[in-house]
Amino acid sequence: MLEFMDPMLFWATLALQLVGLVSVVLARLPRRCPLQCACFRTLFFGCLIGLAVATMVAIEAQSGSWAWCGTTFSVMAVGATLDLRSSMVVTGF
């Protein structure tokens, strides 16, 4: 496993995964300030792209960390599209 041979790469991808998961929560929180909303969404998309690249690099390097990066990428993608608001009741056409 290459992530144990290069601890810097292992800890960097772990930190990217944790920041990515936190950015999902921050991107989904309701805010009043448009600048704060834009910053959190930019952080989210940056982490999403970073995890996609890390997954591809880990697959190319035949490292076992590709599964963790890919799983975090998937959780971020689903978390960003998950609608947590209450559903609207439609009374008719």
Side-chain angles (χ1 to χ4, degrees), residues 33-67:
C33 178
L35 181 62
Q36 185 182 22
C37 182
C39 288
F40 286 152
R41 287 184 181 167
T42 303
L43 174 68
F44 169 77
F45 284 118
C47 289
L48 194 68
I49 291 170
L51 274 170
V53 170
T55 303
M56 290 186 289
V57 167
I59 289 172
E60 182 65 31
Q62 298 178 350
S63 172
S65 66
W66 69 268

Side-chain angles (χ1 to χ4, degrees), residues 4-86:
F4 294 118
M5 293 170 45
D6 188 8
M8 185 66 178
L9 179 65
F10 173 75
W11 290 111
T13 57
L14 182 66
L16 180 63
Q17 291 173 15
L18 292 175
V19 171
L21 292 174
V22 169
S23 72
V24 171
V25 174
L26 292 176
R28 297 299 296 171
L29 289 176
R31 284 168 300 291
R32 297 180 190 263
C33 178
L35 181 62
Q36 185 182 22
C37 182
C39 288
F40 286 152
R41 287 184 181 167
T42 303
L43 174 68
F44 169 77
F45 284 118
C47 289
L48 194 68
I49 291 170
L51 274 170
V53 170
T55 303
M56 290 186 289
V57 167
I59 289 172
E60 182 65 31
Q62 298 178 350
S63 172
S65 66
W66 69 268
W68 292 107
C69 293
T71 303
T72 306
F73 179 84
S74 301
V75 168
M76 286 179 66
V78 170
T81 59
L82 186 65
D83 189 13
L84 300 176
R85 296 176 290 173
S86 61

